[in-house]
Amino acid sequence: MPEGDVLRRAAAHLDRALAGQRLVRADLRWPTAATVDLRGRTVLGTRPYGKHLLTRFDDGRTLHTHLRMDGTWRVVPSSDRRAAARAPQVRAVLAVERWTAVGYQLGMLDVVPTSAEPTLLGHLGPDVLDGDFDDTPGVPWAGPPVLDLPTPGIDEAVRRWHAQGGRPVGEVLLDQRVVAGLGTIFMAESLFARGWWPWARADAVDDAAAVLRAGRALLRASVATGRPDAAVYGREGRTCPRCGARVARDDIGVAPTQRQVYWCPGCQVRGRG
């Protein structure tokens, strides 16, 4: 499931294949971008932000893509038959002499001026993986920042968090307008790490920064070495590794956008009424 860690790995994969090279083929199979011609442009790099990817070119344009639930970018040798990208699920093809990047089942695609990136993504909160999110090591990325936040990212995220009032904390962590990059997996794991009940009031959480740092640490570990074994996510009915109770699964949020949440009734008791 694509969360901030997957986007970071995808961007690094695209950079290794394309950055600094001229496109010999570009095919955008998207209604609003089908006539855009990127051939001959040099790829400056791909910048992840939250769950978004920004592939920048030397002519001042950016290809913006979002994986949503099922999207993926795959890189294959340009000489490989897979580089033909004939599958109906293909939404974008970017090829240099040696490598071809194929975007499958992308959930969002548009081409915008690079200068418009802040307008495009300005509704998002701070990226929990950005290098300047707080004073712990982040995941550095070359190129200009996407959003120029006036304060350190974690301070802004905490401010937005507490502005949510009595909204359940699990919902708040999934709201990309509060903090970008967390999804259902790392929402559940972050709350478990700090012992918070997913339906606790956001404004009652006295260590919001610690919860965010827990999520950041888990995502960083995933970027570096792959996703670690989950403590609660996907473990309904199995034993909690901390207290031995049975992990539960429920829904959080309001239909039709509610999401699954996994939690331990035995030890996630902070904020529980």
Side-chain angles (χ1 to χ4, degrees):
M1 187 177 297
E3 299 192 22
D5 58 332
V6 170
L7 275 295
R8 296 272 157 164
R9 289 199 296 269
H13 201 35
L14 290 172
D15 271 359
R16 285 192 293 270
L18 305 178
Q21 300 186 65
R22 185 176 61 85
L23 293 177
V24 298
R25 179 186 175 200
D27 184 5
L28 304 181
R29 303 174 190 176
W30 197 268
T32 57
T35 61
V36 174
D37 187 4
L38 295 172
R39 289 173 301 172
R41 301 273 54 92
T42 296
V43 180
L44 301 180
T46 297
R47 175 68 158 86
Y49 193 90
K51 299 182 180 182
H52 300 255
L53 290 173
L54 302 166
T55 301
R56 295 162 171 165
F57 304 100
D58 64 345
D59 64 349
R61 287 185 291 177
T62 292
L63 171 65
H64 164 239
T65 57
H66 191 296
L67 304 183
R68 294 207 186 275
M69 296 293 289
D70 301 313
T72 184
W73 279 97
R74 300 175 190 168
V75 175
V76 299
S78 293
S79 58
D80 192 295
R81 63 179 178 80
R82 293 171 295 174
R86 295 190 178 95
Q89 297 87 359
V90 173
R91 301 290 179 265
V93 181
L94 301 176
V96 297
E97 185 175 348
R98 184 176 179 186
W99 299 105
T100 295
V102 183
Y104 292 87
Q105 294 182 284
L106 303 175
M108 188 182 300
L109 185 153
D110 47 352
V111 178
V112 300
T114 300
S115 60
E117 290 176 1
T119 301
L120 181 70
L121 302 184
H123 63 288
L124 298 175
D127 186 331
V128 71
L129 276 174
D130 261 3
D132 58 358
F133 185 76
D134 73 351
D135 56 3
T136 62
V139 182
W141 221 268
V146 178
L147 301 180
D148 187 16
L149 298 172
T151 60
I154 195 166
D155 293 342
E156 177 63 15
V158 170
R159 184 192 69 78
R160 295 183 184 207
W161 174 317
H162 286 300
Q164 301 298 310
R167 192 178 179 194
V169 66
E171 286 186 35
V172 170
L173 283 174
L174 292 175
D175 190 338
Q176 302 298 295
R177 298 168 299 179
V178 176
V179 61
L182 294 167
T184 53
I185 296 173
F186 290 99
M187 172 270 287
E189 296 297 305
S190 301
L191 292 175
F192 175 79
R194 300 299 301 176
W196 282 100
W197 188 49
W199 294 270
R201 292 175 55 99
D203 55 8
V205 176
D206 58 6
D207 62 347
V211 176
L212 293 169
R213 288 191 175 103
R216 176 178 169 87
L218 290 164
L219 282 163
R220 285 181 57 226
S222 180
V223 173
T225 61
R227 285 192 172 164
D229 292 338
V232 289
Y233 183 85
R235 301 185 73 248
E236 180 186 12
R238 298 172 66 183
T239 301
C240 169
R242 185 162 57 201
C243 76
R246 298 290 180 181
V247 173
R249 177 180 61 84
D250 212 324
D251 291 333
I252 196 164
V254 179
T257 59
Q258 72 267 33
R259 306 287 291 278
Q260 289 186 344
V261 58
Y262 294 84
W263 60 291
C264 175
C267 61
Q268 283 181 253
V269 296
R270 299 176 69 190
R272 201 163 160 187

